[in-house]
Amino acid sequence: MSEERLKIVAGNWKMHKTYREGRELALDIVERLTTTQTMVILCPPFIHLKSISTIINDITHLELGAQNCHFAEQGAYTGEVSASMLRSVGCTWVILGHSERREYFGEDEALLAKKVDAALTHGLRPIFCCGEPLEVREAAQHIEWVQRQLEGALFHLEADEFARLVIAYEPIWAIGTGKTATPQQAQEMHAAIRQMVADKYGAQVAHKLSILYGGSVKPNNAKELFAQPDVDGGLIGGASLRAEDFVTIVKSF
Ligand code: 13P
């Protein structure tokens, strides 16, 4: 059944790479990627979007995403970038709700709901991130925590809008720490998320939803994570900055 879902590996470069380094990395990835059924999404910092869109132009299953967008169409928001601007440079995806945006930039569910709306209005598909901090996991409250994140930021959407989303489960304690969730921990949460979506939008929408795992995914653990029935791919941080590692992860299905 899970074969019907889109498999996705997205690289979140975070705040890494100068203009020249970014071009080199994108070119290196393109050279190493042979045809794949997996959707590969590169999410570099804003300054790279235009040049990388030219590099990946027309390559099937290779698309471009941003790491954030503003909720307004345009206006006096110094330093911000809108969803329609991202579309205009060839982006088709946008990461929203990353735990680093929540922690360092105060993004909460109410703000994220507006960003999700703006993205969808302008034809960007959100990769919506959720995930719990360590103390919440230790208190065994992780499923309720993620449920509140989805309810607050996403569950105002109509089913046809929700169907455009991808969800990334990124336990905060696993991000950049080298401490990956076990395949069983990832599977438990992914199955729980799919059930929440089924309860809200029905079995069909839930079944089609791609749910990615993020948090210290590396070439040596991707296979086991991606083998879980409800893990449809990964959102990769550190390992997306090395073409060889990233492409090995892409080929781990
Ligand atoms: P790492 O792969 O570096 O742990 O980062 C995960 C992440 O935050 C992807 O968005």
Side-chain angles (χ1 to χ4, degrees):
M1 292 276 275
S2 65
E3 295 75 66
E4 294 167 35
R5 280 196 286 276
L6 189 57
K7 305 291 185 196
I8 299 173
V9 175
N12 175 7
W13 294 8
K14 307 193 179 181
M15 196 172 75
H16 291 285
K17 304 292 176 187
T18 63
Y19 181 74
R20 188 175 56 76
E21 291 164 350
R23 279 188 66 84
E24 284 168 3
L25 177 56
L27 286 165
D28 198 358
I29 289 169
V30 165
E31 199 163 292
R32 288 166 192 269
L33 265 183
T34 42
T35 47
T36 159
Q37 287 305 307
T38 304
M39 170 69 76
V40 180
I41 307 170
L42 303 184
C43 303
F46 292 133
I47 63 136
H48 298 288
L49 291 171
K50 182 63 191 154
S51 85
I52 295 180
S53 111
T54 311
I55 291 170
I56 68 177
N57 187 30
D58 289 341
I59 303 178
T60 33
H61 285 122
L62 183 54
E63 298 193 358
L64 193 60
Q67 297 174 15
N68 179 32
C69 73
H70 196 267
F71 60 80
E73 164 74 42
Q74 59 182 332
Y77 296 101
T78 301
E80 292 291 315
V81 174
S82 75
S84 61
M85 290 171 186
L86 295 174
R87 277 295 288 165
S88 77
V89 287
C91 269
T92 45
W93 299 86
V94 61
I95 298 172
L96 291 175
H98 194 282
S99 59
E100 289 150 15
R101 302 272 339 153
R102 294 170 187 267
E103 181 177 354
Y104 305 129
F105 303 96
E107 297 196 359
D108 61 10
E109 309 318 330
L111 177 73
L112 291 169
K114 293 204 279 180
K115 292 189 175 204
V116 167
D117 290 345
L120 289 170
T121 300
H122 293 285
L124 290 177
R125 296 186 65 181
I127 300 172
F128 181 82
C129 301
C130 57
E132 78 288 353
L134 185 59
E135 59 277 16
V136 169
R137 159 116 351 219
E138 285 173 347
Q141 293 294 309
H142 47 291
I143 295 197
E144 293 79 358
W145 179 276
V146 166
Q147 171 126 23
R148 274 197 298 276
Q149 292 180 320
L150 302 191
E151 283 173 356
L154 302 181
F155 281 3
H156 65 289
L157 296 171
E158 299 294 331
D160 62 328
E161 296 171 320
F162 189 89
R164 309 275 309 145
L165 295 186
V166 163
I167 290 181
Y169 169 56
E170 299 206 312
I172 296 169
W173 46 272
I175 296 177
T177 56
K179 201 174 169 217
T180 322
T182 64
Q184 294 68 32
Q185 287 172 321
Q187 170 57 26
E188 179 206 30
M189 181 61 87
H190 286 221
I193 291 171
R194 203 176 301 288
Q195 188 58 49
M196 292 167 206
V197 173
D199 292 344
K200 172 74 184 170
Y201 293 108
Q204 174 104 344
V205 172
H207 179 68
K208 289 228 158 119
L209 173 70
S210 297
I211 307 176
L212 316 184
Y213 169 80
S216 299
V217 179
K218 305 289 176 203
N220 64 7
N221 60 23
K223 231 186 196 115
E224 216 189 335
L225 286 160
F226 295 175
Q228 301 304 309
D230 287 291
V231 177
D232 306 306
L235 180 54
I236 320 301
S240 74
L241 299 172
R242 285 198 63 222
E244 190 182 353
D245 289 353
F246 184 63
V247 172
T248 303
I249 292 169
V250 170
K251 293 178 176 165
S252 295
F253 284 101

